Amino acid sequence: MEHIRMPKVENVRLLDRLSSRRAVVGTLYLTATHVIFVENGSETRKETWVLHSQISSIEKQATTATGSPLLIRCKNFQVIQLVIPQERDCHDVYISLIRLARPVKYEELYCFSFNPKLDKEEREQGWKLVDLNEEYNRMGVPNSYWQISDVNRDYGVCDSYPTEVYVPKSATAHIIVGSSKFRSRRRFPALSYYCKANNASICRSSQPLSGFSARCLEDEQMLQAIRKANPGSDFIYVVDTRPKLNAMANRAAGKGYENEDNYSNIKFQFIGIENIHVMRNSLQKMLEVCELKSPSMSDFLWGLENSGWLKHIKAIMDAGIFIAKAVAEEGVSVLVHCSDGWDRTAQVCSVASLLLDPYYRTMKGFMVLIEKDWVSFGHKFNHRYGNLDGDPKEISPVIDQFIECVWQLMEQFPCAFEFNERFLIHIQHHIYSCQFGNFLCNSQKERRELKIKERTYSLWAHLWKNRADYLNPLYRSDHSQSQGTLHPQIAPCNFLYKFWSGMYNRFEKGLHPRQSVTDYLMAVKEETQQLEEELEVLQERLANLQKSQSGNNKVKSKQQDRSKQFGLYTSNNSLANTPQEYSNDLKSFPSRSPSQGDEDSALILTQDNLKSSDPDLSANSDQESGVEDLSCRSPSGGGCLPSEDSGKDSDEAVFLAG
Amino acid sequence: MEFAELIKTPRADNVVLHRPFHLAVEGTLCLTGHHLIFSSRRQDNAEELWLLHSNIDSIDKRFVGSLGTIVIKCKDLRIIQLDIPGMEECLNIASSIEALSTLDSVTLMYPFFYRPMFEVLEDGWSSFLLEQEFELLSSVTDEWRLSCVNKEFSVCPSYPPVVIVPKSVDDEALRKVALFRHGGRFPVLSYYHKKNGMAMMRSSQPLTGTNGRRCKEDEKLVNATLRSGRRGFVIDTRPLTVAQQARAKGGGFEQEVHYPQWRRIHKYIERFNILQESFIKLVEACNDQSHNMDRWLSKLEASNWLTHIKELLTAACLAAQCIDREGASVLVHGSEGTDSTLQVTSLAQIILDPRCRTIRGFEALIVREWLQAGHPFQQRCAQSAYSNSKQKWEAPVFLLFLECVWQIHRQFPCSFEFNEQFLLMLFEHAYASQFGTFLGNNENERAKLKLPQKTMSLWSWVNRPEELSRFQNPLYEANNLVIWPSVAPQSLQLWEGVFLRWNRPSRFLEEAEEERINIIKYNKELQARVNALRRRLAELEAEDEEPEE
């Protein structure tokens, strides 16, 4: 709290990016964990909550007659424009936020104060939801080819690897240690995915320290061992996910890539995915396009192309497709690496796993996948997502790109995933929110030292608890798309990659479809389930009635049954009335303190909105702008529509501007 | 003319058909007067491809030795390839297709020969009469009347025989106004907004010329749509400079001095030849086989197609906004009033009027605002994106309209009774059809061709229950609100259903649609069963209680 110079500023204006006419006046609060803006106005005290850890930049702009503008950009792509009447207040807020947004100790992060009111046991259960041992067993290891190695217990060989890694049975501790010495940051080849059906595997590592001519017998033996663990194939692919030029440049620094002549039976392949710096700049450029005030179509498309973002997404997908094909169709094992083997390698291994194994396309499986390829193998969450104040050059949207790859696949295979877009968006949100401990630190070692599991809560348990919100209504476990390997179209395919406005313009509700097919279908399915239950009850009653009639017994329960029916109708009607209900359900600030009480209020944002667990529906969303909110679909046919028009005013400025 | 004269080789065997995402199949090719028919002879999987000659946009032939290859590019944007053994056969077939797909006489077109295999339940030619529309209007207002001033098509050749005009303006005045408007297209009622009584009129440009001619009757006519003391908006679909230049050719725009109650807004919508060029470029980009992401986006951008979509939607939203939000009447026109004008007025109605989002209402809209309003379908849809001939009348004006509807549909997926297939079907039939609906350029031509007597209406076919079921949106829930779409670039997407239809795998998307339908079908079935059971139980219980009472 000592960093807060100014806990409260009144008469602050929150601007609407799309329409200057829709600015709202309210009070700005700074708390230890959040920036909160509460609208004035007796009816709708709408609240906007932003976690300090979501703030990626704060920009103070030139003071004008109306006040001092402050622009806050968030890592979840929310952009907040405030105008603070007094320059001095603005400066104080600015200075406070600069500090609050860049904590220096893990203990300052929100997850250490966040308390969802779960007891110790529930917390522990939550952390057990995703269990990697179980996952490797599911894949079919250990078996006669693969074993668990304890060579890295106490992180003695590689401090960014997990303690338990799977390696080929023939790889002795000597070979592993020898190989680790020949790899950047000692990240030796280890199992990422094993394909039970044909013994082919995906292994991952960092680059070899080959320089121009160095060799390492143990490393060569290690690759040999990986090949032997797949008796069906007489070679393995070594996939270097970097552009060739980058890999060659690394040789001068004593690093580099495998020489096919030194390793027996490998096929070496470059797949040009650019490095974290290129990706960071690319995202930056794309976000500039997203932020344009009223871009023309050409501005937008040109800017999108110029950012190169979709090209990079495609490169990652192409690498994943290549590996999935090698494993599934050719039955060949693959060793994947980049430089350190914790960014591009994680992206590519997880995309390949997702394509290969339908389990990873379920909600639970997806959590496992992130835990396996990202969390356990030392993806540097802290550095990449800037949780603590650090080197800005380390920041890069690596996992964002993976998440987008999943979305692109969801667009191409609408029935293949158990979860929906919202699930991805919320995971992205929480990678940055630091509300849960899962993604803290840079490695398993650091997390253990920090006692994350004892001191914080797991995101997976939170998502699992709310899984009804994240279901894809089109998914059926017996559908053909949820079986086997996915085969995305390879060529021509450039037009299959689309801009993801649901993510990058997430907070501009006005830009999105006003009716959600997913929510609509989920409501239908929910009702279907109720109908199924009722049908059963009715059938039972009918059977009883017929029985009793034949036995000449009178049923006296009529009165009671009528009320039961009535009960069902009212529940249907209340479904139809949801928007009105929500808009009446407004609380005045501070309705729930951020560090305790309902966890969801802490999440973010406004409470007058749909699902409280939904970090989407935050700020700026306009009560009137969604047509009848989808949840108000009228199951019994009697439509009950809000009386106001949809999208009142929402786009007027836009039409008139041209 | 006998079609047989044009067909020298009516049949070829051992022809191989190539289509994207399908294995090549061998079969027999037959040519008839109106169709190209390919049937594979494989026992296990016999399939036939019927292609209307009028659907063929361009044809290329090449030879490798004596094996000829014909590449056929269709107006619905599909591309197929036929390998035909024998140089002579191939040449004959190619020249026949070329001749048969470019017949210049309308009366030789397939609709004049087509005999429907279905029972006609309702004659589509009389399904949507303006008289019915007027009856509906009369129930809410008496400010308008039906005028038969154009019954011989003598006042305006591109207008239908009856039009709706303000009650206070008589036919004599209409004749005078017609002389003051390009092509005689005097202002008529396009849409009446029941909610606030505001009207949308459409016309062509006024013929003010360089010396600022005026027409008192015209001023009176447009002012008749205004409530006392209220202002109206003229939405001119040309930029001001173009409108000014038009004066030199006798055209012009409503000048403030003579129309003081009207505010003019120029909202530029691209002219047809530019649109055609854009269409061609877009289709080229979509068919580009390169893997390069950058080239795709820059080609998409360079085609300007989505820019046209955005401009058009914006203009339509503006018109709707003037009516619904500003409470003002609107007059829409460009130059001729047969293209961009109709795009704007019809899209504005989609936004404002829930009826236009039903199947029946949308059909009525197309009849009213496109067919009867004299959009020259025959000229505009003579060729599609593959045509080499650069005739200046062709333009995807109607396709752009359909795509805008699709864009709104995408943003409000539960507010339309019809689905994407319905829009696709209209696109296909506008370019090539067995039905006479889209033949001719206006009602006058259709009457002369006796289309209602000699051809079948598309609506007779579409509105049969078994066809309708294919076009219904399972998610539809009547939504009586005005729907304001977003026109931001992030909100607009390429209409893949048209442009990538033939070069993307569609299986997974079709499966998804099937899944959606099944979810809703199952729900409805359960509802019906539950309701039936409830009734049954109530009956039984009533029976049960009777003795007691």
Side-chain angles (χ1 to χ4, degrees), chain B residues 118 460-472:
Chain B
F118 57 86
S460 307
W461 171 71
V462 170
N463 287 332
R464 292 158 45 80
E466 49 275 58
E467 301 304 330
L468 272 184
S469 65
R470 287 175 25 222
F471 299 125
Q472 266 152 358

Side-chain angles (χ1 to χ4, degrees), chain B residues 161-228:
Chain B
V162 282
V163 289
I164 302 175
V165 292
K167 204 171 200 171
S168 58
V169 179
D170 61 23
D171 284 357
E172 205 32 56
L174 292 178
R175 287 197 186 89
K176 286 188 182 146
V177 177
L179 294 172
F180 182 64
R181 292 276 172 178
H182 190 119
R185 296 175 68 91
F186 54 88
V188 296
L189 180 73
S190 162
Y191 171 68
Y192 181 83
H193 198 44
K194 267 186 281 187
K195 199 170 113 189
N196 59 10
M198 293 302 133
M200 179 162 58
M201 313 266 292
R202 55 175 157 75
S203 70
S204 58
Q205 64 179 341
L207 302 174
T208 56
T210 38
N211 40 19
R213 233 179 97 209
R214 63 188 285 197
C215 170
K216 284 270 167 54
E217 288 79 6
D218 189 79
E219 292 158 26
K220 187 177 165 229
L221 170 55
V222 297
N223 287 338
T225 67
L226 297 176
R227 295 276 153 83
S228 63

Side-chain angles (χ1 to χ4, degrees), chain A residues 167-324:
Chain A
V167 291
K169 243 191 177 150
S170 59
T172 61
H174 173 75
I175 291 177
I176 297 170
V177 172
S179 164
S180 79
K181 287 179 181 156
F182 189 64
R183 295 271 166 184
S184 275
R185 299 178 194 275
R186 305 189 123 209
R187 293 170 65 91
F188 56 87
L191 183 72
S192 164
Y193 180 72
Y194 173 74
C195 179
K196 229 186 320 197
N198 60 7
N199 295 318
S201 66
I202 303 173
C203 292
R204 56 184 292 171
S205 70
S206 59
Q207 64 187 336
L209 304 177
S210 51
F212 290 102
S213 59
R215 293 182 63 164
C216 168
L217 182 62
E218 289 87 355
D219 195 61
E220 288 161 25
Q221 286 171 332
M222 187 73 190
L223 267 60
Q224 188 90 322
I226 293 171
R227 180 176 64 76
K228 282 191 195 142
N230 177 10
S233 166
D234 51 13
F235 70 98
I236 65 168
Y237 283 110
V238 175
V239 172
D240 189 328
T241 57
R242 297 169 294 183
K244 189 173 182 182
L245 208 65
N246 301 19
M248 283 167 65
N250 264 301
R251 291 202 299 189
K255 302 164 188 170
Y257 53 92
E258 291 81 356
N259 184 340
E260 278 188 4
D261 298 338
N262 299 342
Y263 293 83
S264 54
N265 305 314
I266 67 164
K267 282 192 184 167
F268 186 85
Q269 179 89 34
F270 282 114
I271 295 185
I273 302 174
E274 298 291 348
N275 64 25
I276 58 167
H277 312 293
V278 174
M279 299 307 193
R280 179 179 55 244
N281 292 334
S282 172
L283 178 66
Q284 183 55 41
K285 280 190 191 160
M286 185 175 71
L287 292 180
E288 277 162 22
V289 176
C290 297
E291 257 189 66
L292 289 175
K293 193 134 188 188
S294 48
S296 71
M297 206 70 218
S298 293
D299 292 341
F300 179 74
L301 289 174
W302 190 86
L304 184 60
E305 166 178 331
N306 197 43
S307 77
W309 182 257
L310 288 173
K311 183 178 72 183
H312 299 313
I313 295 294
K314 184 173 176 292
I316 296 163
M317 282 293 300
D318 285 347
I321 293 169
F322 174 86
I323 293 165

Side-chain angles (χ1 to χ4, degrees), chain A residues 305 476 489 514 532 556 646, chain B residues 411 482 505 515 522 548:
Chain A
E305 166 178 331
R476 266 190 293 123
Q489 185 182 344
R514 306 304 172 86
E532 277 173 341
K556 301 281 182 190
S646 70
Chain B
Q411 296 186 28
V482 174
E515 205 60 33
Y522 179 55
E548 271 189 335

Side-chain angles (χ1 to χ4, degrees), chain B residues 56-75:
Chain B
I56 294 172
D57 206 24
S58 84
I59 149 166
D60 289 318
K61 52 184 183 290
R62 56 171 188 263
F63 292 92
V64 177
S66 68
L67 180 74
T69 291
I70 298 179
V71 176
I72 295 174
K73 298 181 175 175
C74 302
K75 291 176 186 167

Side-chain angles (χ1 to χ4, degrees), chain B residues 307-323:
Chain B
T307 299
H308 302 317
I309 295 287
K310 180 168 152 61
E311 279 165 359
L312 182 49
L313 268 175
T314 308
C317 289
L318 177 73
Q321 190 188 335
C322 290
I323 292 167

